[in-house]
Amino acid sequence: MCIDKLAGNICLGCQLVNISSTLKIKLQDTMTKNRRKSKGQTAQDVSSTAGKGPQLSTRDTSIKSPIGLCQAVLRKQLTEGLMTQCGAHVRMGADQEHRQMLDLLRRTATSGESNSVLVIGPRGSGKTRLIRTAIADLLSEDQIRDSLLQVHLNGLLQTDDRIALTEITRQLKLENTIGDKVFGSFSETLQFLLEALKSGDQSSKPIIFVLDEFDLFAHHKNQTLLYNLFDVAQSAQAPICVVGITCRLDVIELLEKRVKSRFSHRQIHLFNSQTFQDFIVIFKNLLQLDAKFPDQTFSGSWNHHIEQLTTDPTVLDVLRQQFEFTKDVRALQQLLMYPVCQLSEMSPTLSVSSFVESRKMLTMDSKSAMLHGVSILELCLIIAMKHLTEIYEGEPFNFEMVYSEYSKFAQRKSSMQVFEKAVVLKAFEHLLHLELVKTVDGAGSRVQKEYRLMQMLIHGSQITEALQKYPQCPTDVRQWAASSLTS
């Protein structure tokens, strides 16, 4: 027993023990009641389902229902992409480049021939998909599947040669080939890897090195990794194929002379030459169910529903806007994800409004959305800057000019509150911090802040759109913004 308790006082430790024991007793009572309740429910369920056969729970029913299974399949197709779902349409418009890449990789895998190639094209043109489909076709051959090794690097992840070499040894599973040796330096790792590669011959296992964001590897110090990979590929040693993926057309100029001399200068250029009809075909392939779907009756009706969507004017308009904005299939997948996630037992089909809403969410203007949170005073200053930009045809302005425009408006409208100049200057500086306006003369200028030249970073149409959605915007402010010139 605690000494304080004998003295008539209860110490903090005893209080904690008493509280914990009380909570433990209450928890045990609650668990006992829950067990009794669950046993009672189980008995009721058994008696109610007697003679009716096995029954599915609500969760099982939602998962095994056709619409739930359809949603799961479509979400998987949209997240995994077109690699397996689109079949013949995977290489749409790039058949020649695919054959060229496949032939290059096959010569490395079967004949022991080392190669190097650069795949160049804008983002969304299908560079990564081209290489993945070529490797997938190569691995479909039995004599190659077990012998081919792959190493995938990304310039955004492997930011220097040391990290890249460690990743190469990890993917090739070479860490434990010489016992428990721990590589202490970059040179030891490089020497070990080069010895492993140069000790082989044309009969060794072929290795495919895929360097995504290739131009970032060219910024590594001395380009040591690129030099050694191209050197091994040029010499008759272990068969390797170095494939670089980049968006930069001038990537060859980034290479050092010694690296450039060991590169084969073989390039494959990809351009997104899809037509709108090709875009529609990809849209259908992403949303249609294949022959493996368990419920073929539901699959047929669903595919018919997708065919009908491709003739709907509103859906076609949304797809046309997306096509003109970007032809990237990944952006189309993002557009389709929201309508698919809205599927349920209550809404078993894709609604046209969900496509419109998804497009609206993806194209939401961040600047216009930011204007919804500014104060009325800041909104008045933005409108004053808009008028100054129109009057002076895009010339820069300063705070004194903006304050003059605001004062004229506030004095003309008796309903508007006129703020002091210091308060208005504080609101103007807040707009500068929000990056809705920027300084023209740079941050190091010694000009007083009231006279520093500024320029707007938002367009007049964005201001008009924000005013339409601004909560409880005064009518006078709306009318002032709608007027083309101020009096």
Side-chain angles (χ1 to χ4, degrees):
M1 183 177 291
C2 181
I3 299 176
D4 292 337
K5 192 171 182 181
L6 291 173
N9 300 322
I10 300 179
C11 70
L12 179 62
C14 294
Q15 290 179 6
L16 292 176
V17 170
N18 293 336
I19 292 172
S20 61
S21 60
T22 305
L23 290 175
K24 186 175 181 181
I25 294 171
K26 290 184 178 180
L27 182 60
Q28 290 176 349
D29 293 341
T30 305
M31 292 176 64
T32 306
K33 291 179 181 178
N34 289 337
R35 285 197 202 100
R36 291 173 182 173
K37 189 181 296 184
S38 61
K39 287 181 180 179
Q41 289 179 350
T42 304
Q44 290 179 359
D45 293 339
V46 171
S47 61
S48 61
T49 56
K52 295 184 180 180
Q55 299 291 322
L56 291 174
S57 66
T58 306
R59 185 179 178 184
D60 292 338
T61 305
S62 62
I63 293 177
K64 295 187 177 181
S65 65
I67 190 63
L69 188 57
C70 170
Q71 186 183 44
V73 171
L74 293 180
R75 290 175 67 175
K76 185 177 180 181
Q77 289 182 184
L78 292 176
T79 51
E80 292 185 355
L82 302 177
M83 291 300 299
T84 56
Q85 276 73 25
C86 287
H89 301 287
V90 169
R91 299 182 294 272
M92 188 177 297
D95 292 332
Q96 181 180 353
E97 290 83 357
H98 178 265
R99 286 194 297 269
Q100 186 178 354
M101 176 61 68
L102 183 59
D103 179 63
L104 197 69
L105 298 178
R106 183 178 281 115
R107 293 206 302 269
T108 301
T110 57
S111 306
E113 175 184 332
S114 295
N115 291 298
S116 56
V117 61
L118 277 178
V119 182
I120 304 174
R123 297 196 184 277
S125 57
K127 302 182 296 296
T128 304
R129 189 168 70 244
L130 173 73
I131 295 171
R132 286 180 179 176
T133 51
I135 293 177
D137 291 348
L138 197 65
L139 293 176
S140 63
E141 303 178 15
D142 296 334
Q143 65 273 21
I144 298 177
R145 184 185 301 113
D146 297 331
S147 61
L148 186 66
L149 300 175
Q150 301 179 48
V151 175
H152 294 268
L153 303 176
N154 193 303
L156 296 172
L157 301 176
Q158 284 76 44
T159 52
D160 56 47
D161 287 345
R162 180 186 177 89
I163 301 175
L165 285 175
T166 305
E167 182 64 16
I168 291 173
T169 55
R170 187 191 69 81
Q171 293 190 29
L172 292 178
K173 300 179 181 179
L174 297 175
E175 307 103 316
N176 301 320
T177 52
I178 51 175
D180 297 329
K181 180 178 179 180
V182 178
F183 300 110
S185 65
F186 170 75
S187 58
E188 289 181 358
T189 309
L190 179 61
Q191 182 181 1
F192 168 70
L193 180 63
L194 292 179
E195 287 177 356
L197 292 175
K198 292 182 179 180
S199 61
D201 52 21
Q202 292 186 347
S203 62
S204 303
K205 283 190 174 184
I207 308 174
I208 297 177
F209 288 89
V210 180
L211 307 181
D212 206 349
E213 305 291 345
F214 180 83
D215 52 290
L216 296 182
F217 287 98
H219 293 298
H220 291 183
K221 185 179 179 180
N222 298 328
Q223 299 181 357
T224 308
L225 176 67
L226 296 181
Y227 170 78
N228 286 284
L229 286 179
F230 287 149
D231 185 55
V232 173
Q234 189 186 45
S235 59
Q237 296 166 345
I240 71 170
C241 182
V242 182
V243 182
I245 306 173
T246 181
C247 301
R248 296 190 58 168
L249 293 172
D250 62 341
V251 66
I252 299 296
E253 305 302 323
L254 300 176
L255 300 178
E256 294 181 0
K257 187 176 180 180
R258 61 177 188 142
V259 180
K260 195 183 301 183
S261 64
R262 284 162 174 76
F263 175 53
S264 66
H265 290 267
R266 186 184 288 107
Q267 301 178 24
I268 297 177
H269 289 269
L270 282 179
F271 301 97
N272 206 334
S273 58
Q274 291 176 354
T275 63
F276 184 62
Q277 293 303 320
D278 297 333
F279 203 67
I280 295 295
V281 171
I282 296 175
F283 167 79
K284 291 194 292 186
N285 286 330
L286 283 170
L287 292 181
Q288 285 183 335
L289 301 174
D290 55 16
K292 298 179 181 178
F293 193 77
D295 192 339
Q296 286 300 307
T297 304
F298 178 85
S299 175
S301 61
W302 176 266
N303 292 341
H304 179 67
H305 165 60
I306 300 301
E307 290 286 348
Q308 288 180 330
L309 283 178
T310 56
T311 60
D312 188 277
T314 307
V315 175
L316 287 177
D317 183 55
V318 170
L319 292 178
R320 173 70 69 177
Q321 293 177 17
Q322 182 71 17
F323 177 76
E324 292 175 353
F325 180 72
T326 175
K327 299 178 183 178
D328 194 346
V329 177
R330 292 168 295 188
L332 178 62
Q333 292 169 296
Q334 293 178 355
L335 175 70
L336 301 181
M337 183 59 77
Y338 177 76
V340 169
C341 290
Q342 298 302 308
L343 289 174
S344 64
E345 295 292 339
M346 303 297 295
S347 143
T349 56
L350 298 175
S351 62
V352 175
S353 60
S354 62
F355 288 96
V356 177
E357 185 67 24
S358 178
R359 171 69 183 163
K360 191 179 298 183
M361 288 190 295
L362 289 176
T363 57
M364 182 180 294
D365 189 357
S366 59
K367 296 291 185 183
S368 299
M370 195 179 296
L371 289 177
H372 299 161
V374 299
S375 64
I376 296 294
L377 173 60
E378 293 167 344
L379 191 62
C380 290
L381 295 181
I382 291 172
I383 296 172
M385 289 185 278
K386 169 179 175 289
H387 286 311
L388 288 172
T389 305
E390 293 174 352
I391 293 171
Y392 297 105
E393 297 180 351
E395 291 295 320
F397 50 84
N398 57 29
F399 168 73
E400 291 293 338
M401 299 168 65
V402 176
Y403 181 72
S404 176
E405 286 293 319
Y406 163 72
S407 299
K408 291 178 185 177
F409 166 71
Q411 292 170 3
R412 195 168 60 245
K413 303 295 182 181
S414 59
S415 60
M416 290 299 299
Q417 180 182 359
V418 181
F419 292 92
E420 296 180 2
K421 191 173 183 179
V423 178
V424 179
L425 179 59
K426 192 69 176 178
F428 187 79
E429 291 176 346
H430 185 237
L431 295 178
L432 183 62
H433 291 317
L434 291 177
E435 296 183 355
L436 298 176
V437 291
K438 70 170 184 177
T439 57
V440 177
D441 51 2
S445 176
R446 295 183 179 180
V447 182
Q448 291 181 357
K449 54 186 177 182
E450 292 89 347
Y451 299 99
R452 292 179 65 181
L453 293 178
M454 300 284 180
Q455 199 169 23
M456 286 188 69
L457 294 178
I458 49 179
H459 193 263
S461 60
Q462 294 175 305
I463 300 174
T464 305
E465 181 184 352
L467 283 170
Q468 293 175 353
K469 299 179 181 178
Y470 193 91
Q472 299 178 354
C473 181
T475 307
D476 292 338
V477 176
R478 292 181 188 272
Q479 293 175 351
W480 183 36
S483 61
S484 58
L485 296 174
T486 56
S487 55

